[in-house]
Amino acid sequence: GPSWATGKLGNALSFDGVDDQVRVSNATILSNLTNVTVSSWVNVRSGGGAGTGNGRIFAKGSSGSSRFTLLVGADNNSAQFHAGYSGGSGCWKTPTNSLPRNSWHQVVVSYVHNNPANTPIIYIDGVAQTVTTVCTPSGTATADDLTFYIGSRGTDNTKVFDGLIDQVRVYNRIL
């Protein structure tokens, strides 16, 4: 599992990008949120994913089905947010180089998860980012009673995070 390290605010968890994760079971208070704001301090070492990239900062759900996911973008130096819908997930990405490696950055995402036409607002270090739609959502919001994972996308131990994660927070409102 992850190890403790010096964080942005006190201690953080250090993830190795190979097989580390934190599993928050029975997180029913996080289930089926419509208005959601997620935030975390991250210090990205690489794209993660055991060398394949797309390391998950956190995911509400596992590899096949997620309500929402925050990850390192495919270019390995941006943030990407996914929201689950019945006809296909929505995926939005910040600009390349918006999440530089080897330094601390606060990433915050606010999203209303009740309409596939909604676009998240992604902040990095307090600055709202211009987001690009990578995949267009369709259908109805994915219902969930799924586990909340930090540092991976769940049980298959793929798409794991490489770096430090501190101060993960999930709010049931738009901040």
Side-chain angles (χ1 to χ4, degrees), residues 85-111:
Y85 284 88
S86 62
S89 292
C91 313
W92 300 269
K93 178 189 165 309
T94 63
T96 298
N97 299 320
S98 61
L99 189 62
R101 293 189 200 176
N102 301 310
S103 58
W104 284 104
H105 302 282
Q106 185 183 41
V107 181
V108 178
V109 180
S110 291
Y111 186 65

Side-chain angles (χ1 to χ4, degrees), residues 125-148:
D125 298 329
V127 177
Q129 302 293 303
T130 301
V131 297
T132 301
T133 301
V134 177
C135 45
T136 303
S138 64
T140 58
T142 302
D144 82 274
D145 59 356
L146 304 167
T147 301
F148 185 73

Side-chain angles (χ1 to χ4, degrees), residues 151-170:
S152 83
R153 71 174 185 177
T155 56
D156 64 2
N157 248 354
T158 62
K159 306 299 181 190
V160 289
F161 184 79
D162 181 22
L164 302 164
I165 300 176
D166 197 0
Q167 303 295 314
V168 173
R169 299 186 188 275
V170 180

Side-chain angles (χ1 to χ4, degrees), residues 7-90:
K8 177 67 179 174
L9 303 167
N11 291 323
L13 289 174
S14 179
F15 294 83
D16 65 7
V18 177
D19 59 3
D20 290 347
Q21 68 174 270
V22 172
R23 182 178 179 194
V24 182
S25 300
N26 300 319
T28 56
I29 195 165
L30 302 177
S31 294
N32 298 314
L33 297 176
T34 297
N35 298 315
V36 62
T37 299
V38 293
S39 71
S40 181
W41 283 94
V42 296
N43 188 328
V44 178
R45 281 190 291 259
S46 77
T52 64
N54 295 121
R56 271 37 178 189
I57 298 167
F58 48 79
K60 181 67 166 83
S62 61
S63 58
S65 173
S66 293
R67 176 75 172 191
F68 57 83
T69 305
L70 180 62
L71 60 138
V72 178
D75 59 15
N76 297 327
N77 58 12
S78 63
Q80 194 165 316
F81 180 76
H82 294 186
Y85 284 88
S86 62
S89 292

